[in-house]
Amino acid sequence: MRTFIIAIGLVAGSACGQGGEPAPRTSTPMNTIAEQYVKLVLAMGQHDPAYVDAYYGPPEWKAEAETGKRPLTDIDADAARLIEELGTSVVSASTPEQGDRETEVSNLRHIYLRRQLEALRSRVRMLSGTKLSFDEESQALYDAVAPTHPESYFQGMLDDLERRLPGKGPLADRVEAYRKQFVIPRDRLGRVFDLAIAECRRRTMPHMELPAAESFTVEYVTGKSWSGYNWYHGNYRSVIQVNTDLPIFIDRAIDLACHEGYPGHHVYNALLEKNLTRDRGWPEFSVYALFSPQSLIAEGTANYGIEVAFSDAERRAFEREVLFPAAGLNPARVDEYYDFHDLIDRLSYAGNEAARRYLNGEVDRQAAAQWLTRFALMSPERAEQRTRFFDDYRSYVINYNLGKDLVKQFIEARGGDDDTRWQEFIRLLGSPRLPSGLRQ
Ligand SMILES: [Zn+2]
């Protein structure tokens, strides 16, 4: 277990000292609705253990939710009432200019809270037995539908890989044998991750001001269906868990360090806590409902954050100079490995297809795993782990690749240079924007 304590300046004019006290919560109609939303999310947590991903609001609200299991029909009726109260009116429907940023933020807040409540109602329906198709579910929970690709879409990419790794037997076996040469040895994992996290932090910090109390710990765990997880505990602290059930390839060091840490989930949660919960006194961000549109923004920014933090050339240079040697790998093979990795990356939507077919009941677990091996080139062990992820998180899978693509498109439409990219990225992390709002 490792701790990283970050100490940098606070946002000018902020009332928030070492972690700080939240701004006193003012009793506005929006805050009253938002408080009730938080309590409904906590009540859902009693039915669905994965639902509340993070909570750092008043402990008594959580204690109250834990005293009994509110019937789903009551939760649903309350959510419907809150949606009714919110109504559809916002201050201005048009995209405001610079001077109207406050209007924009308050409109986004309104629309966002309404959509989060609608997603909560959809989750209630699912827990009550309603069966949604994969696409219906992702639209209802994450405000987005992933494109559907036929097998032929992936075949061209597989052909490119065939040319890169010629030989006998299934391509997936050759890919696995190749990848195995780039595993981080178990006894070097801690050191490699420390170096990756420190570099991601070093690249992120000059672009934003995070509270001085910000820190996290890293734990290595087993027996999970995911490969990494950020548990945000409030007060700018996270626990990041890395699953060591399967071999960890060298590319995962920077990917996970950025995704879970800087500028990904840890930073995202810390900025929401700082900007929205504390400075603005908005209660709704003290809770994070996992099966909600917020997750597409969270996963999309966490994945896109990797390329915000590192250009391709910068990443390869860092891998060559630091991470490959730390992992005991040959630095002369960095370009070869990352050229291969770029090709594999293009297959990411194959995972969505396997999930869609499996969750729609078109194929069973074994067939879904075989499909993942054939089209996403996963080893049988990794494919089996992935189907367990489908069981646990279902259409959540789209949040990673579609989320990244939507975030990338949204940010890059606003300017391509490095500084603009960082600024837009940070603004997105700290604002209540919906996935459908990324398409504007
Ligand atoms: Zn994530």
Side-chain angles (χ1 to χ4, degrees):
M1 187 178 292
R2 287 162 185 83
T3 307
F4 295 83
I5 308 289
I6 315 308
I8 61 156
L10 295 168
V11 174
S14 159
C16 163
Q18 296 291 319
E21 289 302 313
R25 194 160 285 155
T26 43
S27 175
T28 64
M30 272 302 279
N31 281 354
T32 306
I33 293 172
E35 273 186 32
Q36 293 176 73
Y37 160 76
V38 174
K39 290 176 182 176
L40 288 182
V41 173
L42 294 174
M44 283 291 281
Q46 298 304 305
H47 293 270
D48 181 356
Y51 195 73
V52 182
D53 190 70
Y55 176 67
Y56 51 84
E60 58 272 21
W61 294 2
K62 185 159 181 274
E64 187 188 317
E66 285 166 356
T67 57
K69 209 172 179 177
R70 289 195 64 198
L72 287 169
T73 46
D74 287 5
I75 295 173
D76 188 52
D78 278 2
R81 178 178 53 76
L82 293 179
I83 290 170
E84 181 91 28
E85 282 178 31
L86 276 170
T88 51
S89 63
V90 290
V91 180
S92 161
S94 61
T95 304
E97 298 304 320
Q98 186 81 15
D100 287 335
R101 198 138 271 154
E102 279 307 303
T103 310
E104 181 188 30
V105 169
S106 85
N107 284 349
L108 287 175
R109 180 192 189 194
H110 186 280
I111 296 164
Y112 183 91
L113 189 50
R114 188 186 162 88
R115 189 66 185 80
Q116 289 287 116
L117 279 160
E118 287 168 358
L120 182 144
R121 294 195 69 195
S122 297
R123 188 68 185 169
V124 167
R125 283 168 62 209
M126 288 171 66
L127 293 176
S128 308
T130 301
K131 298 260 181 281
L132 300 176
S133 72
F134 182 86
D135 289 342
E136 286 166 349
E137 179 186 310
S138 77
Q139 176 59 41
L141 298 183
Y142 309 116
D143 197 34
V145 173
T148 302
H149 296 296
E151 291 178 2
S152 56
Y153 172 84
F154 303 106
Q155 193 56 51
M157 302 171 191
L158 296 176
D159 293 344
D160 289 344
L161 278 153
E162 275 284 353
R163 281 188 286 277
R164 189 157 191 94
L165 293 175
K168 292 201 178 90
L171 176 60
D173 291 354
R174 276 174 272 148
V175 162
E176 191 58 16
Y178 179 76
R179 272 177 166 154
K180 279 199 170 131
Q181 303 169 72
F182 297 91
V183 169
I184 308 170
R186 183 68 186 83
D187 60 350
R188 291 179 184 243
L189 265 185
R191 172 77 183 136
V192 171
F193 270 99
D194 283 358
L195 290 164
I197 290 165
E199 181 65 9
C200 294
R201 184 187 64 185
R202 191 186 71 76
R203 288 173 170 274
T204 300
M205 285 304 163
H207 302 282
M208 64 183 72
E209 297 182 76
L210 289 177
E214 175 254 350
S215 70
F216 66 79
T217 55
V218 180
E219 296 174 358
Y220 296 91
V221 300
T222 54
K224 308 293 181 189
S225 63
W226 37 256
S227 57
Y229 211 110
N230 177 292
W231 302 98
Y232 190 68
H233 289 201
N235 287 317
Y236 313 120
R237 288 185 171 82
S238 295
V239 172
I240 292 175
Q241 293 186 323
V242 177
N243 182 5
T244 59
D245 281 340
L246 296 175
I248 298 179
F249 305 117
I250 188 66
D251 54 277
R252 295 299 286 155
I254 281 182
D255 283 1
L256 279 175
C258 283
H259 181 104
E260 309 294 347
Y262 306 90
H265 293 322
H266 175 65
V267 167
Y268 170 70
N269 284 292
L271 288 179
L272 289 181
E273 179 173 2
K274 167 80 180 65
N275 296 340
L276 303 185
T277 308
R278 291 175 183 263
D279 291 356
R280 290 183 184 270
W282 293 356
E284 65 269 38
F285 285 94
S286 64
V287 77
Y288 174 2
L290 190 69
F291 304 114
S292 77
Q294 182 172 2
S295 280
L296 184 136
I297 303 289
E299 300 299 353
T301 51
N303 269 354
Y304 180 59
I306 302 165
E307 59 186 83
V308 176
F310 291 88
S311 71
D312 186 48
E314 287 168 342
R315 176 170 182 163
R316 289 179 188 222
F318 181 69
E319 300 270 3
R320 191 178 299 115
E321 286 153 25
V322 180
L323 293 188
F324 269 56
L329 302 175
N330 179 0
R333 300 189 72 187
V334 165
D335 283 333
E336 168 209 330
Y337 181 67
Y338 278 94
D339 289 346
F340 155 83
H341 187 254
D342 289 347
L343 290 176
I344 288 278
D345 238 20
R346 294 162 58 204
L347 293 168
S348 111
Y349 277 82
N352 295 6
E353 296 306 327
R356 184 185 276 113
R357 289 161 194 228
Y358 176 60
L359 294 169
N360 284 346
E362 293 162 25
V363 296
D364 64 11
R365 179 187 309 280
Q366 197 189 6
Q370 283 167 354
W371 208 90
L372 283 169
T373 296
R374 182 167 168 212
F375 289 98
L377 300 176
M378 291 182 187
S379 67
E381 297 76 22
R382 209 167 289 272
E384 194 277 333
Q385 183 192 62
R386 196 66 184 157
T387 61
R388 283 187 287 112
F389 188 92
F390 298 163
D391 292 334
D392 293 343
Y393 299 99
R394 303 181 53 84
S395 64
Y396 193 95
V397 293
I398 72 153
N399 293 330
Y400 298 100
N401 45 22
L402 181 65
K404 179 190 166 180
D405 289 347
L406 291 176
V407 166
K408 182 181 168 78
Q409 186 188 321
F410 177 80
I411 287 174
E412 293 182 2
R414 280 154 178 76
D417 70 80
D418 212 36
D419 281 345
T420 315
R421 219 155 57 135
W422 269 109
Q423 279 167 20
E424 292 295 334
F425 182 75
I426 292 159
R427 183 181 300 159
L428 178 59
L429 287 186
S431 66
R433 191 172 287 276
L434 286 171
S436 51
L438 295 175
R439 294 188 187 273
Q440 292 164 3

